[in-house]
Amino acid sequence: ARALFWRAGLWEQAGQAALAGGDALGAIRFFEQAGSKDGLSVEGRAALGDAYQSSGDLLAAVSIWQAALETGGASADVYARLAQAHFDLGEYPAAMADLRTLLDLRPDDADARYRLGLLLTATRPAQALPELMLAARLNPQLDAPVQTLRLSLNTALQVDDEAYRHVVAGRALS
């Protein structure tokens, strides 16, 4: 990239190679160099976020991924990364929003539906069942855990006491 400075994109390629080789800090340097010289593609920004995540800086990764969405438009892969990062950070409303946007882009993503259903089970049990049932229809391997959750949620939803609903839903999740 230094020797062939007229070839745009080599810094980004160097960052991709460093990240693939497990050198997150080197990848960050290369990607940032690419950003200052030629600009980063949406994939490059996503990979820069991955590099920050690999280096242990999840907040920087989230910031980079959000910037990638602002400059490059909606990307299902970036929303999937954001959903997981927000979940790992304990930012569950943000994770649910990311999953909903991801499902707008990929409605047949059974894993995302299941994860959204689990988050809804913990926060809004009455809204969880449709997501969980659709996830089980999309991926039959999810049927057994979804049926367990469905039985508990049906029991919980028959009682008017909201605190009791959350206790039953929490037991089902555990």
Side-chain angles (χ1 to χ4, degrees):
R2 283 185 202 106
L4 304 173
F5 58 88
W6 62 88
R7 292 200 42 208
L10 289 180
W11 287 108
E12 186 172 325
Q13 289 176 9
Q16 295 282 6
L19 185 59
D23 182 9
L25 296 177
I28 291 169
R29 282 193 314 274
F30 291 137
F31 284 128
E32 288 181 349
Q33 186 71 24
S36 69
K37 299 270 187 203
D38 308 317
L40 280 173
S41 67
V42 174
E43 296 81 15
R45 286 183 189 275
L48 175 58
D50 293 345
Y52 274 108
Q53 180 184 29
S54 294
S55 74
D57 192 348
L58 195 53
L59 291 174
V62 166
S63 176
I64 296 293
W65 290 327
Q66 288 171 333
L69 289 173
E70 291 170 9
T71 60
S75 166
D77 292 333
V78 175
Y79 276 110
R81 289 173 170 102
L82 276 172
Q84 186 61 51
H86 283 131
F87 181 84
D88 292 345
L89 291 168
E91 297 172 359
Y92 303 120
M96 286 191 291
D98 295 333
L99 287 168
R100 287 183 196 281
T101 304
L102 172 60
L103 288 169
D104 288 341
L105 298 169
R106 289 194 310 218
D108 293 338
D109 188 332
D111 182 55
R113 285 213 182 272
Y114 183 68
R115 290 175 31 216
L116 179 59
L118 292 177
L119 285 169
L120 288 170
T121 298
T123 57
R124 297 180 206 120
Q127 297 175 15
L129 276 176
E131 295 296 339
L132 291 169
M133 298 305 288
L134 184 53
R137 270 186 258 131
L138 292 169
N139 182 354
Q141 292 179 326
L142 295 173
D143 192 51
V146 166
Q147 292 308 321
T148 302
L149 287 168
R150 183 184 62 80
L151 291 171
S152 295
L153 284 172
N154 283 336
T155 301
L157 294 174
Q158 300 208 4
V159 178
D160 288 337
D161 185 0
E162 181 137 355
Y164 177 76
R165 280 188 215 150
H166 285 284
V167 168
V168 172
R171 269 194 233 149
L173 286 171
S174 68

